[in-house]
Amino acid sequence: GMPGFAGVVGDLGGGSLEFAVIADHADQPGETHGLGAIRLQDDSEGNPEKAVALARERLGESQVLEGEHELFCAIGGTWRALAKLHQARTKYPLHMIQDYVADAGDLIKLFDEIVAAAAGRKPVPNIEAVSGSRRELLPFGAAVMAEVLRQGRFKKVVFSAMGVREGILYETLAED
């Protein structure tokens, strides 16, 4: 869904986080980490602060995140929910997630706030922008992305509304 994209792609699911590096219109070898939002919620026993420590530890093994990166592409429902919350907070005038770009530093601050609020059992401002079914997983998705952005020293994040399903459908299309 993003022709010409170059950077690191991260797809956060329920059980894992998949990384791929895209350069010159081709993907390079990627990585899988046991950091899906549901898995992290379980592994941390529902403790958002413990989730941050687990994300930091597990991502410490990443070779994809080594160095400094310009652009991170976030794929997955929990991360789309975080983008919606950021849009509500910044009063972004559109309600589209596809190609929504945000400053990594701003997102890290927001994600740290979400984790702290969840740990202190306090409400997150503008949470109504997020569907009820995603709210419980937000602190865990926030913990993972904050650590991804820190360790990869990313400058910007672009969000994708597309994912694996759309990729599979695209592959079934005829070349023409």
Side-chain angles (χ1 to χ4, degrees), residues 139-159:
F140 304 98
V144 173
M145 193 186 297
E147 284 307 310
V148 166
L149 298 179
R150 281 186 178 99
Q151 289 190 27
R153 297 183 301 194
F154 289 94
K155 292 179 177 58
K156 299 279 183 193
V157 178
V158 59
F159 291 88

Side-chain angles (χ1 to χ4, degrees), residues 35-54:
L35 282 170
I38 295 170
R39 177 181 288 182
L40 188 57
Q41 181 184 40
D42 291 346
D43 290 353
S44 68
E45 300 168 338
N47 181 328
E49 292 168 329
K50 188 175 178 183
V52 170
L54 287 169

Side-chain angles (χ1 to χ4, degrees), residues 1-2 9-11 73-77 80 97-99 159-167:
M2 295 180 190
V9 176
D11 186 351
C73 178
I75 299 172
R80 283 191 299 271
I97 299 300
Q98 184 67 20
D99 287 324
F159 291 88
S160 175
M162 297 183 193
V164 173
R165 286 179 296 238
E166 290 81 8

Side-chain angles (χ1 to χ4, degrees), residues 6 8 10 31-32 36 38 46 49 53 65 86 89 95 98 116 118 123 132 134 138 147 158 167 175:
V8 177
E31 297 175 343
T32 299
I38 295 170
E49 292 168 329
L65 296 179
H86 187 261
R89 286 282 189 84
H95 298 286
Q98 184 67 20
R134 291 282 179 191
L138 278 188
E147 284 307 310
V158 59
E175 185 66 31

